[in-house]
Amino acid sequence: MSRSVTAAVISALVFPGAGHIYLKRLARGCIFMLPALASLPVIFDQLMARAAPLAQQIASGTLALDPVAIVAQLERQGQSSSPLLAISSTVLLVCWGASIVDAFLIARPPARGSGPAR
């Protein structure tokens, strides 16, 4: 597997910026890694805030432990979606996608004939 494909796969499967670290481009990897890392606590906090009331309702017996009932309750909660969750999720996805493409492009060998003219 070529270095460019390996770097892209590492960025895709591990974390944004991991492929850059593989390529020894630490600063460039941090450009993708730091915003992605910053978005994770926000995403987890928002998801836990949604899950906690459901868990309480299930534990108290007011919500049946039925996947259909839980999905219906989640859909009712989804109407009051937090813009912070949407922004953080977008940041994470954009960092991840851009990291894959960038790791592939910077590791790709230069095309023939693209050197300086003589």
Side-chain angles (χ1 to χ4, degrees):
M1 193 172 351
S2 69
R3 282 183 46 151
S4 58
V5 172
T6 302
V9 168
I10 290 172
S11 280
L13 297 179
V14 177
F15 199 74
H20 294 83
I21 293 171
Y22 164 76
L23 295 171
K24 296 179 178 56
R25 299 280 193 102
L26 184 60
R28 199 157 179 162
C30 286
I31 291 171
F32 297 103
M33 196 174 284
L34 293 178
L37 281 172
S39 70
L40 287 179
V42 175
I43 292 169
F44 287 133
D45 181 57
Q46 294 291 315
L47 292 178
M48 291 304 292
R50 286 182 173 200
L54 287 176
Q56 276 186 328
Q57 290 174 1
I58 292 169
S60 69
T62 58
L63 180 62
L65 189 56
D66 174 33
V68 176
I70 294 171
V71 168
Q73 184 68 19
L74 281 171
E75 286 175 352
R76 277 184 240 126
Q77 282 184 354
Q79 302 302 329
S80 62
S81 180
S82 166
L84 195 56
L85 178 61
I87 292 168
S88 297
S89 299
T90 302
V91 167
L92 179 62
L93 292 175
V94 167
C95 286
W96 216 311
S99 171
I100 295 166
V101 172
D102 190 59
F104 178 79
L105 292 177
I106 64 171
R108 200 175 55 179
R112 291 186 173 198
S114 64
R118 292 181 189 202

